[in-house]
Amino acid sequence: MDVKIESSWKEALKDEFEKPYFKRLVEFVKSEYQTQTVYPPGKRIFSAFDFTPFDEVKVAIIGQDPYHGANQANGLSFSVTDGVRHPPSLQNIFKELNSDLGIPIPQSGNLERWAKQGVLMLNATLTVRASQAGSHQNKGWEFFTDAVIQKLSDEKEKLVFILWGAYAQKKGNIIDESKHFIIKSAHPSPFSAYNGFLGSKPFSKTNEYLLQNNSGKINW
């Protein structure tokens, strides 16, 4: 199957694209885009991969669903299109960034600047119906993104995986902790941010590990 995705990922995931579940997933997603309002825009479904080639991944931040409001989702977990008001989870991420590293709250919630430095902003489910959170769960995306995480864990070393909340942490069970650094905390959502996300210092911890392993820090 010819999937329009960045070339190094296309090679890394070529076996996955031929599996029956992926072919069913493609048919489902095509039908949804033809008959429903679906986010992100079709050409942005694989943006996380396009901005962060397989060979350049240093950090992976695992999200759940794309944002389901108009003009929000841009294909990167927790990220929004330029000019869009920051959703509550992203507000808390920036609040922690400011507390952790003293970086002023960014004007733009577009996290492409992180992705271009090797931060894979990966949602577990890559599409969603407008105003219907979780509407594309259990259609096959989870198998695909598990395969992505497995491939990174198996074929690379000394990556940082940032797992915010129980859902991401469950998805992280396939990561080899002997080879990689895993950062876990509560989710940045307002419902849980005060239960361990705020004050967890994920950004400085990530850079400390990367520098220790000669990877070069992220300019958050």
Side-chain angles (χ1 to χ4, degrees), residues 191-212:
F191 300 108
S192 56
Y194 289 92
N195 293 331
F197 172 74
L198 294 173
S200 62
K201 301 188 180 301
F203 306 104
S204 60
K205 288 176 180 175
T206 294
N207 278 350
E208 186 179 335
Y209 179 82
L210 292 175
L211 288 171
Q212 284 173 353

Side-chain angles (χ1 to χ4, degrees), residues 65-96 105-111 113-114 123 164 187-191 193 197-198:
D65 266 10
Y67 295 120
H68 53 79
N71 301 317
Q72 288 182 311
N74 66 358
L76 307 180
S77 60
F78 298 104
S79 174
V80 290
T81 305
D82 283 315
V84 172
R85 186 172 178 273
H86 301 170
S89 290
L90 186 57
Q91 290 178 32
N92 283 328
I93 289 169
F94 285 161
K95 189 182 293 185
E96 178 60 18
I105 303 293
Q107 292 287 310
S108 172
N110 190 335
L111 302 179
R113 59 189 180 275
W114 294 1
N123 276 318
W164 290 327
H187 194 277
S189 156
F191 300 108
F197 172 74
L198 294 173

Side-chain angles (χ1 to χ4, degrees), residues 98-181:
N98 176 254
S99 168
D100 187 5
L101 294 176
I103 294 173
I105 303 293
Q107 292 287 310
S108 172
N110 190 335
L111 302 179
E112 289 173 7
R113 59 189 180 275
W114 294 1
K116 290 173 181 175
Q117 297 179 72
V119 183
L120 181 68
M121 310 292 299
L122 180 67
N123 276 318
T125 304
L126 300 189
T127 54
V128 68
R129 273 192 196 182
S131 305
Q132 295 184 42
S135 49
H136 285 189
Q137 291 178 5
N138 302 315
K139 302 295 184 182
W141 279 130
E142 293 88 350
F143 293 121
F144 176 71
T145 50
D146 274 353
V148 170
I149 295 169
Q150 187 81 63
K151 182 70 72 167
L152 289 170
S153 177
D154 290 350
E155 297 194 10
K156 297 177 79 73
E157 291 187 354
K158 298 180 171 54
L159 300 184
V160 179
F161 289 88
I162 299 178
L163 310 178
W164 290 327
Y167 184 90
Q169 288 166 28
K170 184 178 178 184
K171 203 161 177 68
N173 288 338
I174 53 180
I175 300 165
D176 185 346
E177 293 194 49
S178 70
K179 293 168 60 183
H180 305 287
F181 182 45

